[in-house]
Amino acid sequence: MNKNQAPVSFKSNAANALNNPSLRTAMRNITSTFGKKRVDAIGDNPFEEWRERASEIRMDVLNNIGEYVDMFSKNATKAGAVVHRAKDSSIACDIVASLLKDYGADKVVKSKSMISEEIHLNAYLEKEGIKVVETDLGEYIIQIAGETPSHIIVPAIHKSRQQVGQLFCEKLGCEFTDDPTTLTKTAKKILREEFITAPAAISGSNFAIAETGSISLVTNEGNGRMVTTLPPLHIAITAIEKILPKLSDLALFLRLLPRSATGQVLTSYFSLITGVRKEADSTGAKHLHIVLLDNGRSEIVKSDCKEILKCIRCGACMNVCPVYGMIGGHAYDSTYPGPMGVILSAVLNGLERAHPLLDASTLCGACSDVCPVKVPLAKLINRLREIKVENGLAPELESIGMWGFGAAAKHPKLFELGQKAANAAWPIARLLDKQTVDRLPKPVPVSFKRRVL
Amino acid sequence: MRVQLFATCLIDTFYPETGEAVVKLLKHMGVEVAFPREQTCCGKPPNSGGHAKQARKAAEHFISVFKGSDPVVIPSGSCASMVKNHYPEMFHDNHRMFQAATELASRTFELSQFLVHVLHAHEQGFVGNRKITYHASCQLTRELGVREEPIQLIRSIEGAEFCPMPSADRCCGFGGVFMAKLPEVSMALADEKLDTILESGADTVTGCDHGCLMNISDAVKRRGVSVDVKHLAVILAEGLK
Ligand code: SF4
């Protein structure tokens, strides 16, 4: 964790994003489509009951995280995996790089993993001379574009198909087309070769099951299955909070995740991996290593923001967020964007760096309403704003203003004086912040109170 | 019946005509309206900005002013939710204040809530001739769960037409401190809201929160279209039978 970085330039990033018309169009299309599909997929199902139960299960995991991590590690080991505990990003990266070197792998195929983004694994491995190939189509697109994901489920959501066509044309030397099927075929052909020749694979894990020591992958492209069955070495990286207690808990979460994420009733592919390939198995990795990342989580479960760790990374909160929908994910300049990203960035990277992101919310609460595990997102953002103020990170002028406001709220005479002063000083206020003041009506000379009394 | 009116600082400072409409409306329904003169602000602005200490000062003052057993009526979803939902939370560490806040919360109503559930004003009905669309503000809808009441009231206006807007509960981009912190995003959201207002075919947009209506008015002004932006209280008061 690097807690001493300059604050994110969120305000200017957001303003720049607004001036990008193709981004605006892409965001508008996709956020509205997902929102609608989600509602349809939930249909008449007892969503409230489901999410209540899911929230309870996730809370139980967080309340007993130590026990569950031990249980998972013990059972995964019993099944033939090697479990590594990584306290932070650099340790996790180091473990993965050393494993690849030990097995003599100079190339690795990857299925989508936000944890690997969180620890900046690709850059680390490339520096160590290991070639990394992303195999999720969206991840592949942004990898060859040299970008980062702008959405946790749909990493290339910010790109139009014309832009993808151009990119493929430039980087892969194929003829320009903006037909998604042709583009997918092009990528598929290249990736298939990589799957077959890669000596090692890296995946994430949507859920890890304590009871059985299993890891699991929920995907739509089948690349997750290729990655975890073809190469002889499979390294799965996951974070400690992704554990579910029992195998039977999966049923509920597999109902909630695809519905919330992409508005699908069922995911296209689901892989449950328990240990290494057994003698009778026709597929599966011979060696399975699981890296369990902490990266501050053991502390976060003790904080006011504990509940953000219930998150199952479905992305529904960003799909409905008006701010995210307007500016896209890159403006957040952080691994995780949108409402969950604002909170995760603050707790993982520290407020010094992440505090400007707390402005990225109108506190409209649309996120809290859709979250399948009832993370109280708006409440947590509001709580983090309080912590920001407590830590003296709010702009001084704002704090002085709010102090005056607090004093006036307690003293009606002072409050009235303030109202009168606002009316008189409106032209001065306009000089200070013309942009805001011009959007407000002028305070009336005689307040309602004066009129009514 | 007697109620205590909390006018909200926005109405008090910028929109006195809405306050007058609320009084007219309630009086017409046979309600005696008391206006505690010591009232100031509910503390929502410092609360949403993270200035908890200042918000607490406002809350303590509010609780001390709105005493007794008369219902408190508030013509704003976000201020009403502040009192009903946030005050009890703010005082979870102080038993006496928590109890006072909880008691106050139980007799606090947002205006449309009070009109429908207590006064059954929608049964009596109103008159008018506007084509009205309705913006469902965030705290009203999601924190108070008041979704149908304003629409019931609008539908009860004889001679008026209700024109639903798409995504009515999508945030307008006001967000209190948000409008000043990220003005460009705030305006862009208000512009999208205005698109949906125009799409509805209405000549008037209404809502139960002057914060949103202020932001929408600005979008209307910037685009130079002719749409009337009116608080629901004003529309109902002008259509009293
Ligand atoms: S916070 Fe909730 S809605 Fe957002 S990604 Fe996580 S689980 Fe999904």
Side-chain angles (χ1 to χ4, degrees):
Chain A
M1 251 182 304
N2 190 345
K3 294 211 171 191
N4 296 314
Q5 293 166 325
V8 177
S9 318
F10 182 63
K11 198 172 150 72
S12 58
N13 293 353
N16 289 340
L18 282 177
N19 289 327
N20 180 344
S22 70
L23 175 70
R24 292 281 300 272
T25 316
M27 295 311 297
R28 206 170 296 151
N29 286 346
I30 298 183
T31 51
S32 61
T33 321
F34 277 163
K36 198 184 161 309
K37 280 173 86 182
R38 177 191 160 276
V39 173
D40 292 346
I42 286 168
D44 295 334
N45 287 296
F47 183 65
E48 281 309 313
E49 259 166 56
W50 289 357
R51 69 201 284 251
E52 185 58 49
R53 181 77 197 111
S55 169
E56 278 167 16
I57 295 172
R58 299 293 296 137
M59 256 339 235
D60 169 45
V61 170
L62 300 182
N63 287 337
N64 304 289
I65 190 81
E67 282 90 335
Y68 280 119
V69 168
D70 289 345
M71 196 191 298
F72 173 79
S73 306
K74 198 181 92 206
N75 291 328
T77 310
K78 225 194 287 171
V82 183
V83 178
H84 308 258
R85 307 277 288 269
K87 194 168 169 294
D88 59 31
S89 300
S90 64
I91 296 174
C93 285
D94 197 50
I95 292 171
V96 177
S98 312
L99 281 170
L100 290 170
K101 280 186 197 154
D102 289 351
Y103 284 90
D106 56 358
K107 180 171 95 174
V108 61
V109 282
K110 260 185 84 195
S111 81
K112 195 175 150 8
S113 148
M114 284 309 295
I115 297 295
S116 77
E117 299 287 344
E118 178 184 323
I119 64 175
H120 304 295
L121 181 63
N122 287 13
Y124 190 98
L125 295 181
E126 301 274 0
K127 231 177 19 209
E128 297 285 314
I130 298 162
K131 183 183 171 199
V132 182
V133 183
E134 292 287 352
T135 65
D136 169 272
L137 183 58
E139 287 283 348
Y140 181 66
I141 291 168
I142 57 162
Q143 185 183 33
I144 60 175
E147 295 176 8
T148 53
S150 70
H151 187 288
I152 60 169
I153 299 291
V154 204
I157 196 173
H158 56 285
K159 285 209 175 310
S160 65
R161 55 197 166 96
Q162 288 77 15
Q163 287 171 326
V164 175
Q166 233 131 42
L167 179 74
F168 276 30
C169 192
E170 267 165 45
K171 301 276 165 145
L172 307 176
C174 53
E175 234 172 82
F176 174 82
T177 168
D178 61 4
D179 171 44
T181 317
T182 316
L183 290 168
T184 309
K185 268 194 191 138
T186 307
K188 232 180 189 171
K189 215 163 124 197
I190 297 171
L191 291 176
R192 207 154 273 257
E193 193 54 36
E194 301 283 9
F195 284 128
I196 296 167
T197 55
I202 294 173
S203 78
S205 171
N206 291 86
F207 304 105
I209 311 297
E211 179 186 45
T212 55
S214 318
I215 54 162
S216 65
L217 292 178
V218 178
T219 76
N220 266 331
E221 296 174 12
N223 64 311
R225 188 161 298 172
M226 299 275 252
V227 159
T228 54
T229 48
L230 290 178
L233 169 64
H234 173 196
I235 304 170
I237 15 176
T238 191
I240 55 168
E241 85 276 17
K242 295 217 167 186
I243 294 177
L244 291 180
K246 296 197 299 287
L247 197 59
S248 56
D249 294 329
L250 268 176
L252 174 63
F253 286 88
L254 288 180
R255 283 201 291 264
L256 282 170
L257 180 57
R259 283 182 170 87
S260 305
T262 45
Q264 288 167 285
V265 172
L266 255 184
T267 176
S268 306
Y269 294 87
F270 175 67
S271 306
L272 184 71
I273 299 158
T274 311
V276 289
R277 177 201 286 223
K278 318 276 180 313
E279 251 171 52
D281 295 345
S282 55
T283 57
K286 289 199 186 81
H287 312 281
L288 173 62
H289 290 262
I290 302 172
V291 181
L292 272 180
L293 177 72
D294 189 302
N295 214 16
R297 287 161 171 84
S298 297
E299 291 304 312
I300 299 168
V301 290
K302 296 181 211 150
S303 76
D304 287 356
C305 290
K306 167 184 189 173
E307 285 193 72
I308 190 58
L309 294 184
K310 291 197 291 186
C311 173
I312 57 168
R313 309 285 191 273
C314 73
C317 56
M318 51 200 78
N319 294 343
V320 295
C321 176
V323 178
Y324 175 87
M326 199 52 86
I327 60 176
H330 284 154
Y332 295 75
D333 191 11
S334 171
T335 305
Y336 303 102
M340 59 80 90
V342 166
I343 300 160
L344 269 182
S345 306
V347 295
L348 290 173
N349 306 327
L351 275 179
E352 284 290 338
R353 171 163 164 76
H355 76 82
L357 298 177
L358 297 172
D359 294 342
S361 172
T362 63
L363 300 184
C364 77
C367 47
S368 320
D369 262 21
V370 296
C371 177
V373 287
K374 295 184 86 169
V375 176
L377 292 137
K379 217 174 250 182
L380 293 184
I381 292 174
N382 208 353
R383 176 67 196 125
L384 281 164
R385 286 182 182 173
E386 290 175 2
I387 296 172
K388 167 180 171 171
V389 170
E390 283 160 21
N391 286 321
L393 289 164
E396 210 165 311
L397 208 62
E398 177 186 312
S399 295
I400 295 171
M402 287 297 181
W403 180 84
F405 196 92
K410 253 186 134 58
H411 299 98
K413 292 238 164 62
L414 196 60
F415 193 78
E416 257 191 82
L417 210 66
Q419 285 175 310
K420 280 199 193 129
N423 172 270
W426 207 237
I428 302 170
R430 198 163 173 266
L431 289 179
L432 287 174
D433 186 355
K434 184 174 176 312
Q435 202 174 17
T436 304
V437 168
D438 278 354
R439 293 165 62 205
L440 306 173
K442 192 172 181 237
V444 290
V446 184
S447 70
F448 172 63
K449 186 192 252 178
R450 285 269 147 226
R451 291 199 200 185
V452 81
L453 287 172
Chain B
M1 183 193 299
R2 198 175 59 184
V3 303
Q4 310 182 67
L5 174 64
F6 173 60
T8 79
C9 52
L10 278 184
I11 288 178
D12 195 25
T13 315
F14 297 105
Y15 303 100
E17 63 287 353
T18 302
E20 285 165 346
V22 176
V23 174
K24 187 175 162 197
L25 199 54
L26 291 170
K27 281 193 174 155
H28 184 86
M29 315 254 157
V31 178
E32 188 189 327
V33 183
F35 188 89
R37 66 176 312 146
E38 304 288 285
Q39 64 180 271
T40 56
C41 166
C42 70
K44 182 74 189 167
N47 169 266
S48 62
H51 298 265
K53 264 195 209 155
Q54 312 307 333
R56 219 172 143 114
K57 282 187 202 162
E60 283 163 354
H61 180 72
F62 192 106
I63 293 170
S64 76
V65 170
F66 288 88
K67 285 196 291 273
S69 57
D70 291 336
V72 177
V73 173
I74 305 181
S76 155
S78 69
C79 308
S81 173
M82 181 71 191
V83 176
K84 286 179 83 67
N85 295 316
H86 295 271
Y87 280 10
E89 277 169 22
M90 283 163 86
F91 296 107
H92 63 87
D93 57 351
N94 178 330
H95 184 65
R96 192 182 59 80
M97 285 304 288
F98 175 78
Q99 279 198 312
T102 313
E103 187 279 319
L104 170 65
S106 70
R107 60 183 162 89
T108 296
F109 297 83
E110 182 276 328
L111 178 67
S112 72
Q113 223 177 12
F114 190 75
L115 288 174
V116 169
H117 297 300
V118 182
L119 300 179
H120 307 287
H122 58 300
E123 287 167 12
Q124 184 180 324
F126 301 85
V127 289
N129 54 11
R130 295 172 180 270
K131 293 171 81 176
I132 305 167
T133 192
Y134 167 68
H135 163 64
S137 51
C138 298
Q139 277 78 34
L140 180 73
T141 312
R142 282 181 277 269
E143 291 185 5
L144 290 178
V146 176
R147 291 169 193 269
E148 289 306 317
E149 292 84 340
I151 296 172
Q152 281 174 288
L153 290 164
I154 296 168
R155 284 195 191 277
S156 78
I157 308 174
E158 235 170 85
E161 189 189 331
F162 174 53
C163 316
M165 69 170 85
S167 314
D169 66 354
R170 177 96 168 160
C171 179
C172 73
F174 172 63
V177 289
F178 179 83
M179 76 163 292
K181 294 237 175 192
L182 290 180
E184 293 87 358
V185 181
S186 170
M187 284 191 275
L189 285 167
D191 288 339
E192 281 197 352
K193 180 54 76 177
L194 181 54
D195 292 340
T196 57
I197 292 169
L198 296 174
E199 211 180 301
S200 77
D203 55 34
T204 303
V205 55
T206 192
C208 300
D209 272 275
H210 257 307
C212 316
L213 296 176
M214 185 162 83
N215 200 32
I216 293 169
S217 289
D218 176 60
V220 168
K221 195 175 75 189
R222 277 187 282 112
R223 200 178 301 183
V225 285
S226 77
V227 178
D228 249 3
V229 187
K230 295 258 183 255
H231 193 284
L232 184 59
V234 173
I235 293 181
L236 297 179
E238 74 183 16
L240 285 172
K241 279 188 184 168

